[in-house]
Amino acid sequence: MNEIRKEDIKQEVFDLYDDYAHNRIDRRDFVQKLSSYAVGGLTVASLMSFLMPDYKGGIQIQANDPRLKSEYINYPSPKGAGTIKALLSKPADAKGKLGGIVVVHENRGLNPHIEDVARRAALAGYISIAPDMLTPLGGYPGNDDQGRDLQSKRDRNEMLEDFIAAYDYLKQHKDCTGKVGVVGFCFGGWISNMMAVRIPDLAAAVPFYGGQPATEDVPKIKAPLLLHYAELDTRVNEGWPAYEKALKENNKEYTAYMYANANHGFHNDTTPRYDKAAAELAWKRTIDFFNQKLN
């Protein structure tokens, strides 16, 4: 059969995948419901293959890129899991100290895509740290299905403490200026919002399609915010009007963008939800924002 194209897939299929990717339905229900869209030459197997991430073909910056110095480190998280493994990256030719960026993964651990994003942040001129919240459970297991199952066993507030500890580690790192921001995706978007609530001296926060903090927590935010939302992501977007109202009422510094006809996960170039134009624009805006706030 011909290769499946994103344009040929109904929006309901992407919504169904979103339910599956966020543990609102299990794999059995996902496959069963997906079968109703296996028509016109499509099979459930081909749809499943199309929807799942392609980490071999989608990586932009390889792990051994000579322009970078990347290594896995372990940092202390006394209020969280105790010790967390993370990918630490910086430009190989860096001279002097750099601004820092905490890169927060989705709800499946530190997979190859988020490691790639962390390397992109480093290539932009920063020292980046990308923690793996599956560290106490053995680390990212090599596939996202198992990763989601493992991450669901951890308490999200304890994971928030682990990411706050990553901020502390990076802020004090000998190669960091002490100015540290955060960028996160999905679950990581919620973490980014909550780090802005919890960390008074956070220099910048960039949540991609992230859940919002409680409105009563908004007065605690000191960091400038750059918020990216996807127009078709009705689940996350439901919380945006109240969040924006609270940001305005409390005179917080923020800029928000809504990307037309984009799905939740549009920045992830390893899945068919990827929207190239939206992703590239959002990333450019993100790096421009960090250039303003971290330098």
Side-chain angles (χ1 to χ4, degrees):
M1 61 174 292
N2 294 330
E3 182 178 349
I4 300 176
R5 300 185 310 161
K6 178 180 179 180
E7 295 76 15
D8 298 330
I9 302 299
K10 293 183 177 181
Q11 180 59 35
E12 291 84 356
V13 173
F14 292 109
D15 294 340
L16 187 61
Y17 176 76
D18 191 70
D19 285 340
Y20 173 60
H22 295 91
N23 296 319
R24 291 190 292 276
I25 59 174
D26 61 22
R27 187 179 183 88
R28 181 178 178 180
D29 285 342
F30 176 52
V31 172
Q32 183 179 23
K33 292 181 179 181
L34 194 63
S35 65
S36 64
Y37 299 97
V39 296
L42 294 175
T43 65
V44 171
S46 65
L47 282 170
M48 288 278 286
S49 178
F50 174 72
L51 291 167
M52 296 303 155
D54 173 18
Y55 290 137
K56 290 184 179 180
I59 301 301
Q60 293 186 25
I61 312 299
Q62 298 298 322
N64 60 352
D65 192 299
R67 295 172 294 175
L68 292 174
K69 289 183 179 178
S70 294
E71 62 177 332
Y72 292 105
I73 57 96
N74 292 286
Y75 67 87
S77 179
K79 295 181 180 178
T83 301
I84 295 292
K85 180 181 178 180
L87 178 67
L88 190 71
S89 301
K90 68 174 185 176
D93 61 355
K95 295 177 176 62
K97 296 186 176 185
L98 305 169
I101 299 175
V102 180
V103 180
V104 187
H105 60 66
E106 303 141 312
N107 66 334
R108 61 212 68 173
L110 182 60
N111 61 28
H113 167 66
I114 297 299
E115 290 192 346
D116 182 21
V117 172
R119 291 191 292 268
R120 296 177 207 176
L123 272 184
Y126 296 95
I127 179 169
S128 70
I129 187 169
D132 185 2
M133 289 304 107
L134 301 185
T135 300
L137 301 174
Y140 176 71
N143 71 79
D144 283 9
D145 282 353
Q146 292 180 18
R148 275 193 301 273
D149 288 343
L150 287 175
Q151 190 162 319
S152 69
K153 300 180 189 305
R154 291 212 58 201
D155 178 79
R156 73 174 189 166
N157 290 308
E158 184 180 82
M159 288 188 281
L160 174 58
E161 295 293 347
D162 292 329
F163 281 110
I164 291 172
Y167 165 87
D168 292 336
Y169 174 87
L170 197 55
K171 182 179 174 64
Q172 298 167 20
H173 195 280
K174 63 181 179 60
D175 295 327
C176 183
T177 61
K179 282 191 174 183
V180 177
V182 59
V183 59
F185 307 85
C186 183
F187 161 79
W190 176 78
I191 290 288
S192 300
N193 276 316
M194 292 306 299
M195 286 175 67
V197 169
R198 290 283 308 278
I199 304 173
D201 55 353
L202 184 70
V206 185
F208 275 74
Y209 27 84
Q212 300 84 6
T215 54
E216 57 265 30
D217 284 335
V218 171
K220 303 173 187 174
I221 294 175
K222 305 298 182 187
L225 304 172
L226 175 63
L227 305 114
H228 301 298
Y229 289 104
E231 184 183 34
L232 301 178
D233 187 10
T234 56
R235 174 181 56 87
V236 170
N237 294 349
E238 286 178 352
W240 171 233
Y243 189 21
E244 182 174 38
K245 183 174 183 288
L247 289 169
K248 287 180 177 178
E249 289 176 346
N250 289 278
N251 298 311
K252 299 304 178 182
E253 181 183 348
Y254 79 95
T255 303
Y257 293 102
M258 186 70 69
Y259 294 85
N261 299 314
N263 274 290
H264 183 94
F266 72 80
H267 186 263
N268 188 333
D269 52 0
T270 68
T271 81
R273 295 186 295 177
Y274 174 60
D275 185 308
K276 187 175 189 294
E280 291 180 351
L281 178 57
W283 188 247
K284 181 183 184 305
R285 286 168 168 166
T286 297
I287 295 303
D288 288 347
F289 183 67
F290 283 141
N291 288 344
Q292 293 171 11
K293 304 302 182 183
L294 301 184
N295 291 323

